[in-house]
Amino acid sequence: MRCCLSAPLAALSALAALPAPSEVLRSGALLAPALLRALAGAVHDTARTSRLLHPDTIKAVHLELVTLTEDSAVITWHTGIPGTDDGTGHMLPAVTEGEVVYGTHPTRLNRSAGETRPTAHHHVELTGLEPGQTYYYQARSRGVTAAPTSLHLVRGNAVGTNRYGFGTRGGPYSFTTPQPPPGRHLLSIALCNDLHVGETTAGLVGGVPLFRGVSQEAGLSPYPEIMSRAVVEEARRRGADVLLAAGDISAGGGPRDLAEAKRILDGFGDHGRDYFVVRGNHDRPRHGHADGDAFRDGFLGGGGPSYFARDLGGLRIVGLDTYEKHGHGADAGGLGAEQLAWFRARLNENRDQPTVVFGHHPLTVRDSVFPVSRGQQLGRRQARAILDAYADAPGVFLHHAGHTHRNKRTVLPQAPHVTLQEVSAVKDYPGGFCLLRIHSGGFALNHYKSSSAPAREWGERSRRVAAGLWPHHALGRSVADRNSVTAHDLSGVIRPVPRTAFQDSPGEPVAG
């Protein structure tokens, strides 16, 4: 089963979605040296696999500052046995303890946080931090300091909010906590996308030998189900009141896969009240297929439009079907004329109402490592029409999209009050969701990796997608691409109300 490396790469196989020659040349200049290094490294690692090693020898790698809030930080890394190969060019895991030592001065790391049990997939959360404070830290396992994930292709920084500690062996590295969003906390919303339930191989791209894809280990549960369940559980644990799933719920729109996805999402609550789903290009009905439109049958009761608006205590949620069209799924996204007219009318009804819009395809794709094709985003004319509508609707503050499988924050001059947030896929590395925390005077966006043991294990395994280059694309080139705070007047939103007070698309109260 081909996965949605379809966003950046698999769409290259469809003529309608070919990137411009300049995009191919730009990405080729970036990727060719890295691919050659990856191939040479794999050969070198395989050649030394047979060396005898001391049993206590470990290597700590892939250090990442994943989450950064005003009072907490989540830091992850991996420990392996150098010189070994698990069959995919990756070190065999080394199960050991992990700790993060940190402090407010680089020579006084006088605080520490650890884990409850030994693991190879380390996940440490620092709590009780002060807003606006600079901290220095090192991650250690068995006395070995962890080395950062390299993001040289995008000139990024995986471990801090500045480049302090780079050029040293093990840091310490540095980050500065943000100030909290202004005002009182009102509610939290989990943003996720690209569950791809039913997929069996991540990153499979035909015709590219180095991009062979990564599959789950034999005997383990399917990775899309592991990751989707982990997101539901963690979103609840992190205090999400509502969950929005922005498309590609399934790998191919099959009824069995969509039914399983719904069972998993139902673990968060009731569809249409506690969580909301929109269609992605992978969820589209197949023409002439006996199953018809399984997404519509499973999530929409078999009828009604595939787009909607809801009022949640003064917060308007607008869900868009960005593949409401006939097509093969690798071409540009598109809204039907009726949907686009409906969308403009809804915004015009109350231009100042605090509004979150979510749909599968982003409006624009910028700063991608891989060639940008038309299939990665909404059609240009419709994207411009939506941005024009945002320019006249100051209440809209967030547009959440998936499809590209990466964390990326974009603000465009046409509508500077709207944050365009691409969120990485649920199904594989870095694997998780974004928590939107709404305050009366602004909002915060924070990415969380799924932290269950099976999710951590698959997240580490799937970082090898695209010959190991996937972190350059998916993680986010900076902490700010996955963690940000924005001031915006959201005082019209109230705390979550009883379910009977939620409102349906035309503005009518939902029954029951």
Side-chain angles (χ1 to χ4, degrees):
M1 176 74 66
R2 236 177 223 108
C3 84
C4 202
L5 198 60
S6 64
L9 291 175
L12 299 178
S13 63
L15 282 176
L18 282 174
S22 60
E23 284 288 339
V24 176
L25 291 173
R26 184 187 70 82
S27 294
L30 283 173
L31 294 174
L35 288 171
L36 291 173
R37 282 195 298 271
L39 180 60
V43 172
H44 178 67
D45 287 344
T46 301
R48 62 180 184 172
T49 300
S50 61
R51 291 183 186 177
L52 293 176
L53 296 169
H54 190 281
D56 290 334
T57 301
I58 69 164
K59 190 174 183 180
V61 294
H62 304 160
L63 179 67
E64 294 169 0
L65 174 62
V66 180
T67 311
L68 182 62
T69 77
E70 62 271 16
D71 59 5
S72 67
V74 176
I75 296 162
T76 65
W77 70 100
H78 175 70
T79 47
I81 304 171
T84 61
D85 191 333
D86 65 357
T88 65
H90 203 63
M91 293 185 295
L92 290 170
V95 176
T96 183
E97 75 287 346
E99 70 166 351
V100 174
V101 292
Y102 62 105
T104 56
H105 192 278
T107 62
R108 291 195 299 275
L109 307 182
N110 53 4
R111 300 168 65 179
S112 67
E115 297 170 294
T116 57
R117 59 178 65 115
T119 180
H121 314 289
H122 303 277
H123 187 286
V124 173
E125 184 164 2
L126 313 183
T127 59
L129 305 181
E130 297 179 18
Q133 175 66 58
T134 298
Y135 290 90
Y136 303 85
Y137 75 97
Q138 283 183 323
R140 301 172 180 171
S141 289
R142 207 182 295 167
V144 176
T145 55
T149 291
S150 172
L151 298 179
H152 59 276
L153 292 183
V154 291
R155 297 180 182 177
N157 181 352
V159 296
T161 56
N162 57 62
R163 297 190 65 80
Y164 187 91
F166 280 74
T168 67
R169 301 189 67 177
Y173 305 104
S174 173
F175 62 81
T176 301
T177 53
Q179 294 294 332
R184 67 192 185 284
H185 177 255
L186 301 173
L187 76 157
S188 296
I189 300 175
L191 310 176
C192 68
N193 43 264
D194 296 279
L195 286 64
H196 284 236
V197 172
E199 183 179 286
T200 58
T201 304
L204 183 62
V205 181
V208 186
L210 282 175
F211 296 162
R212 295 174 297 175
V214 179
S215 298
Q216 179 65 288
E217 291 187 71
L220 297 181
S221 299
Y223 63 83
E225 297 175 22
I226 287 174
M227 301 303 285
S228 298
R229 289 192 179 96
V231 161
V232 166
E233 178 183 340
E234 184 124 351
R236 274 296 189 201
R237 186 170 67 84
R238 297 284 179 185
D241 301 293
V242 176
L243 182 144
L244 307 181
D248 279 7
I249 309 304
S250 65
R256 186 171 300 176
D257 296 334
L258 283 162
E260 180 60 29
K262 188 174 187 304
R263 278 192 291 270
I264 293 171
L265 291 170
D266 282 347
F268 188 86
D270 295 332
H271 176 246
R273 298 184 189 272
D274 303 306
Y275 78 91
F276 302 88
V277 174
V278 292
R279 190 203 308 265
N281 55 298
H282 277 245
D283 304 314
R284 70 193 185 283
R286 301 300 193 266
H287 296 299
H289 200 284
D291 294 323
D293 190 338
F295 180 88
R296 183 178 297 278
D297 294 340
F299 285 101
L300 304 175
S306 53
Y307 46 89
F308 59 87
R310 298 290 189 274
D311 191 295
L312 275 61
L315 174 68
R316 180 168 51 190
I317 304 289
V318 178
L320 299 179
D321 181 347
T322 63
Y323 206 78
E324 194 190 29
K325 56 183 286 189
H326 297 304
H328 47 62
D331 54 337
L335 282 63
E338 182 179 341
Q339 181 183 180
L340 187 58
W342 168 90
F343 176 69
R344 289 166 163 164
R346 290 310 303 244
L347 293 190
N348 282 332
E349 285 175 5
N350 190 345
R351 297 180 180 183
D352 294 318
Q353 182 176 7
T355 301
V356 171
V357 180
F358 76 115
H360 186 61
H361 293 75
L363 302 184
T364 184
V365 176
R366 301 190 172 198
D367 304 319
S368 175
V369 173
F370 300 109
V372 177
S373 66
R374 287 195 298 125
Q376 285 183 252
Q377 56 199 18
L378 203 62
R380 290 182 179 177
R381 289 185 179 179
Q382 290 196 340
R384 283 196 296 268
I386 290 175
L387 284 170
D388 289 343
Y390 288 166
D392 293 331
V396 180
F397 64 94
L398 178 68
H399 183 114
H400 158 220
H403 192 55
T404 56
H405 295 197
R406 67 172 185 168
N407 292 309
K408 181 68 172 71
R409 179 180 186 269
T410 302
V411 176
L412 298 177
Q414 297 95 316
H417 57 285
V418 181
T419 295
L420 309 179
Q421 184 66 51
E422 299 165 53
V423 178
S424 59
V426 167
K427 73 183 183 76
D428 53 24
Y429 173 89
F433 68 99
C434 189
L435 187 66
L436 166 65
R437 293 182 290 130
I438 297 176
H439 288 232
S440 56
F443 62 95
L445 289 164
N446 297 110
H447 175 71
Y448 287 92
K449 283 184 181 179
S450 297
S451 61
S452 72
R456 291 192 220 175
E457 184 175 349
W458 170 251
E460 181 62 28
R461 184 175 176 86
S462 61
R463 72 186 293 129
R464 306 166 216 180
V465 163
L469 302 178
W470 197 236
H472 295 266
H473 174 80
L475 180 65
R477 68 168 59 192
S478 70
V479 173
D481 268 335
R482 55 189 180 273
N483 299 278
S484 62
V485 177
T486 304
H488 193 99
D489 182 9
L490 300 172
S491 56
V493 179
I494 62 175
R495 287 290 301 167
V497 292
R499 292 180 177 180
T500 53
F502 284 5
Q503 290 190 328
D504 204 355
S505 178
E508 312 296 325
V510 174

